[in-house]
Amino acid sequence: MTDNPLLHAAGLSKAFAGVQALDGASFELRSGEVHALVGENGAGKSTLIRIITGAIEADEGSILLDGETLSHLTPQEARRRGIAAIYQQPQIFPELSAAENIALGCERGGLWRLIDRSARRRRAGQLLERIGARFSPDAIASDLTMPEQQLLEIARAIGADARLLIMDEPTASLTEADVENLFRVIGELRDGGAGVIYISHRLEELPVIADRVTVLRDGRTIATRAMPEIDRRELIRLMVGRELSAVFPKREIEPGVTALELRGAGCTTSGVSDVTLELRAGEILGLAGLVGAGRTELARMIFGLTPADEGEIRVHGEGVRIESPADAIRLGIAYVPEDRRRHGVIAELPVRANTTLAALDEFSRYGFLDLGRERDTAAEYVARLGIKTASVDAEAATLSGGNQQKVALGRWLATKPAVLILDEPTQGIDIGAKAEIHRLMGDLAAEGMAILMISSEMPEILGMSDRIAVMRGGRIVGLFDRAEATPERVLELALKE
Ligand SMILES: Nc1ncnc2c1ncn2[C@@H]1O[C@H](COP(=O)(O)OP(=O)(O)OP(=O)(O)O)[C@@H](O)[C@H]1O
Ligand SMILES: [Mg+2]
């Protein structure tokens, strides 16, 4: 152990109106280590990070870099000292190209000063290649998919040549191949002497990538351990302060009528083709595949965002045309997109309004909003999903990342649709709430809802689904019953060229 850690955060406290986000938390990072930071949604992880990067100032406590106290740290100063971060909420400039976005993170001076554009492009290309991204440096950021944007942010942070690299849930929307690439690069940075703070709700990643782990709970540091010395169970106990039971409470439900049926359906513009699929009431159908396999595109097609232009779609046995989300909603189809970080909540609206937004019809009578019922419903979902908020009247922007996602999910659950499409439902959600969401999905299926669940987490796919469809290249390439699906079989189909 070195005497002087790279970073020492000591006794940090931070309160926001009525919420004690950090309460005397401490954290230490050495050079050449990957240090995981874990805790439930709202534990204070992002707040700690924002203090270290100079985005906000602590009420109390100090930050030492190489033993030197940093006071009144600004983001510019943090960057100058070699601190770079990938934030939980995307910080990409949508109208700029990938190369320009990367340049913003690494080049000193403004983006518009005289520069060698081809050198910038080349450098961006190398960075993107290094992390295994398969899009061009010229791609406009807003045209990239969510996982691609995440890779772009990673490339930008790595390009900054930081000595202290902070990653707030970098893998939330990445698939296993991308994660593997990312871990390789993180390993190289560590070997080069950088210190890495790694935040993730995917606990299974930690033994692979982290040297040590620190657990935060309610804004306090609960423990710091060497990763090999702690097992998953102990980690969870430290995070939630109690033992957690079965993670996948799969219930056996007799499937009912066919709620949704696709026959040779496809959408030329989004590359989905020849999809034949049946989804029955009470059934959870898992949609597996790699990023880019067309799973989100299929969901968007069913929801009318990119309408089908071939084949047939039937809802409750009747042929339908779904030309817009309004059509889909009218037919009882709801869609919770993966991109909840951006489109999930309306930041300025209170939690209460965010929860009931999708079911507005139900909450307004003769054009007047029934505020009492809105509050009740919001309160119900806040309790069911364990949403950590000062009250249902708090602005959504004040919630932690994971808690915002729970609000977005609650909003669609509150509409009680016949067909519910969930794209990565538990991404970024902590382990306790995850079990709760899985239980809720089981309840909804038992009530007769048909659920189509896209997930990149193999345990979630295998644990929750009655049947599993595997996609590759915009097509369904295999369908398994729950009993016959294994991780190897699913992966093999997803990968096959
Ligand atoms: N600007 C703000 N105003 C009010 N409360 C805030 C604000 N920012 C954070 N909080 C509160 O501080 C607490 C800690 O939030 P933080 O974002 O640090 O959690 P987290 O550990 O990163 O959680 P997650 O895993 O969900 O990302 C939460 O209860 C959150 O609601
Ligand atoms: Mg956070």
Side-chain angles (χ1 to χ4, degrees):
M1 194 187 289
T2 50
D3 298 321
N4 238 352
L6 174 59
L7 175 89
H8 187 190
L12 293 182
S13 291
K14 177 76 189 174
F16 297 102
V19 183
Q20 192 70 39
L22 285 179
D23 188 5
S26 294
F27 181 79
E28 186 207 89
L29 177 73
R30 299 173 193 151
S31 293
E33 82 163 337
V34 177
H35 196 137
L37 185 59
V38 301
E40 290 189 290
N41 294 134
K45 303 178 296 296
S46 296
T47 304
L48 177 61
I49 293 320
R50 284 160 68 207
I51 293 172
I52 297 172
T53 57
I56 55 173
E57 205 174 338
D59 300 335
E60 265 173 64
S62 54
I63 302 219
L64 289 86
L65 194 69
D66 296 316
E68 182 196 341
T69 304
L70 306 180
S71 45
H72 304 296
L73 187 66
T74 61
Q76 294 75 16
E77 176 69 3
R79 243 176 70 181
R80 208 181 53 76
R81 288 178 180 263
I83 300 175
I86 299 166
Y87 292 97
Q88 193 174 10
Q89 311 295 338
Q91 313 265 323
I92 275 177
F93 294 89
E95 59 289 347
L96 298 185
S97 74
E100 287 162 339
N101 266 288
I102 289 174
L104 275 174
C106 5
E107 291 175 10
R108 310 202 188 270
L111 186 61
W112 310 121
R113 75 200 150 82
L114 281 180
I115 40 100
D116 181 349
R117 275 177 195 281
S118 64
R120 175 190 280 171
R121 260 196 90 245
R122 212 173 323 116
R123 183 166 150 70
Q126 285 162 356
L127 279 165
L128 290 171
E129 197 183 315
R130 182 165 174 210
I131 57 164
R134 285 169 294 273
F135 52 85
S136 145
D138 300 322
I140 298 301
S142 58
D143 293 340
L144 299 175
T145 63
M146 172 86 176
E148 286 171 342
Q149 293 189 5
Q150 209 164 17
L151 288 174
L152 175 55
E153 290 196 78
I154 292 167
R156 180 170 60 191
I158 288 171
D161 284 328
R163 313 162 51 211
L164 199 172
L165 184 61
I166 302 168
M167 303 190 154
D168 199 345
E169 287 188 61
T171 58
S173 72
L174 301 186
T175 48
E176 306 203 359
D178 289 329
V179 172
E180 224 169 85
N181 255 319
L182 174 64
F183 284 2
R184 181 180 46 74
V185 176
I186 293 178
E188 289 166 13
L189 295 170
R190 160 178 48 197
D191 297 343
V196 180
I197 303 176
Y198 189 87
I199 297 179
S200 179
H201 288 292
R202 295 187 173 180
L203 300 185
E204 63 281 359
E205 292 179 348
L206 304 187
V208 184
I209 190 66
D211 302 299
R212 290 196 294 166
V213 58
T214 288
V215 179
L216 280 186
R217 195 200 311 149
D218 298 330
R220 293 189 201 104
T221 307
I222 298 298
T224 295
R225 301 278 177 82
M227 205 58 226
E229 283 160 25
I230 186 164
D231 62 14
R232 182 186 168 87
R233 201 182 152 143
E234 171 73 355
L235 198 56
I236 293 174
R237 199 186 57 75
L238 290 171
M239 281 169 62
V240 302
R242 65 195 145 88
E243 295 277 343
L244 269 191
S245 56
V247 182
F248 293 104
K250 182 65 193 161
R251 291 210 239 152
E252 291 308 323
I253 294 154
E254 196 57 45
V257 295
T258 301
L260 175 73
E261 194 179 350
L262 306 185
R263 281 195 203 158
C267 165
T268 329
T269 49
S270 61
V272 176
S273 57
D274 198 23
V275 172
T276 296
L277 203 63
E278 211 181 291
L279 181 62
R280 295 167 72 180
E283 178 179 54
I284 299 178
L285 180 68
L287 202 51
L290 305 181
V291 164
R295 298 169 303 164
T296 294
E297 287 72 14
L298 175 58
R300 290 171 56 88
M301 180 185 92
I302 298 172
F303 196 59
L305 283 160
T306 47
D309 54 16
E310 57 182 43
E312 263 183 84
I313 301 183
R314 290 166 178 265
V315 172
H316 292 295
E318 233 168 276
V320 295
R321 296 183 64 87
I322 305 176
E323 301 289 347
S324 67
D327 288 348
I329 292 169
R330 212 173 304 121
L331 291 163
I333 301 173
Y335 170 48
V336 187
E338 162 188 41
D339 208 349
R340 292 189 295 275
R341 291 165 186 235
R342 214 155 329 179
H343 305 304
V345 293
I346 299 177
E348 305 76 32
L349 285 183
V351 169
R352 142 173 73 72
N354 265 293
T355 323
T356 51
L357 216 49
L360 263 190
D361 271 358
E362 221 183 291
F363 291 95
S364 49
R365 246 179 243 149
Y366 318 113
F368 293 102
L369 201 57
D370 186 342
L371 277 177
R373 272 190 60 209
E374 186 188 70
R375 291 188 69 96
D376 289 350
T377 304
E380 179 195 332
Y381 281 92
V382 164
R384 273 180 101 164
L385 298 178
I387 297 171
K388 195 174 165 193
T389 175
S391 89
V392 292
D393 299 314
E395 273 182 27
T398 66
L399 269 58
S400 78
N403 283 301
Q404 291 187 20
Q405 302 213 36
K406 290 189 210 170
V407 169
L409 199 58
R411 160 156 92 228
W412 289 103
L413 297 178
T415 63
K416 301 260 161 64
V419 175
L420 177 63
I421 306 171
L422 298 171
D423 201 345
E424 307 286 358
T426 61
Q427 193 177 86
I429 283 179
D430 72 51
I431 186 119
K434 201 162 166 170
E436 195 48 52
I437 285 167
H438 288 147
R439 212 176 332 260
L440 198 59
M441 284 169 66
D443 289 351
L444 293 170
E447 288 166 21
M449 200 179 281
I451 300 179
L452 182 64
M453 177 188 71
I454 298 174
S455 171
S456 295
E457 271 186 64
M458 195 63 85
E460 182 168 70
I461 281 278
L462 296 176
M464 290 305 297
S465 313
D466 296 288
R467 288 185 304 145
I468 295 149
V470 183
M471 280 191 87
R472 178 171 17 98
R475 293 162 186 272
I476 305 267
V477 291
L479 199 60
F480 294 106
D481 268 329
R482 178 178 177 75
E484 49 181 38
T486 63
E488 294 76 27
R489 285 177 139 176
V490 171
L491 251 187
E492 194 193 8
L493 268 183
L495 282 169
K496 205 181 278 171
E497 284 299 315

